[in-house]
Amino acid sequence: VGSPLLDLSFRLYLGWAFFKSGMLRAKDYFNGSWDTQVFLFEMEHPVPGLDASLAAPVTTMAELALPVLVGLGLFSRFGAAGLFVMALVIQLTYQENFQHILWMALAASIFIKGPGPLSLDHLLVNKFLKQKKGI
């Protein structure tokens, strides 16, 4: 009985953690201090294989889009996979924060199990299956 609410709480917690970060990055962009974000990606948390000038906007867009997908439960496995990779890169860069491991566990759970019945994915799949059966 509580599993759908637990699934939803996992999705909302994980989404909120990343969305907050994306909003802070976007705020720097809109305040004209984007160079701060690029500097952070150069010095504090470089993304392997990506130049900082590319990593900063790509990460910002991902932190704003993927959490919305996960929170709504829309294409949630895709969103969870993206957040898992982001948390993994963060963990490999910092290595001292248990919170990143928690994020990876939540993202993996959503990816493997799915978003649960309180999601748009569930609603759309059920609607599609009813149409297919002619109900």
Side-chain angles (χ1 to χ4, degrees):
V1 173
S3 181
L5 291 176
L6 187 61
D7 293 338
L8 177 62
S9 67
F10 285 176
R11 293 191 346 255
L12 293 177
Y13 174 79
L14 180 64
W16 180 243
F18 280 89
F19 191 76
K20 282 189 311 184
S21 178
M23 289 300 291
L24 290 173
R25 292 184 202 289
K27 185 178 175 184
D28 278 349
Y29 176 79
F30 290 114
N31 288 337
S33 55
W34 185 247
D35 292 342
T36 303
Q37 289 302 318
V38 175
F39 175 78
L40 289 173
F41 278 93
E42 286 173 347
M43 299 304 195
E44 270 194 42
H45 44 85
V47 176
L50 280 182
D51 184 68
S53 61
L54 181 60
V58 166
T59 301
T60 301
M61 288 185 282
E63 285 180 331
L64 293 173
L66 297 176
V68 172
L69 294 177
V70 169
L72 293 174
L74 181 63
F75 305 113
S76 24
R77 284 190 162 108
F78 169 79
L83 294 180
F84 179 88
V85 170
M86 290 178 71
L88 178 62
V89 170
I90 295 167
Q91 179 61 25
L92 293 175
T93 304
Y94 287 113
Q95 297 180 354
E96 75 268 349
N97 196 332
F98 177 77
Q99 186 173 31
H100 307 139
I101 295 170
L102 173 63
W103 294 345
M104 287 187 289
L106 292 175
S109 172
I110 295 163
F111 181 78
I112 292 166
K113 184 177 177 275
L118 298 177
S119 67
L120 290 177
D121 284 345
H122 185 77
L123 181 71
L124 292 172
V125 167
N126 282 343
K127 184 176 181 176
F128 174 76
L129 290 175
K130 284 180 184 178
Q131 285 178 347
K132 191 172 180 178
K133 290 180 181 179
I135 298 174

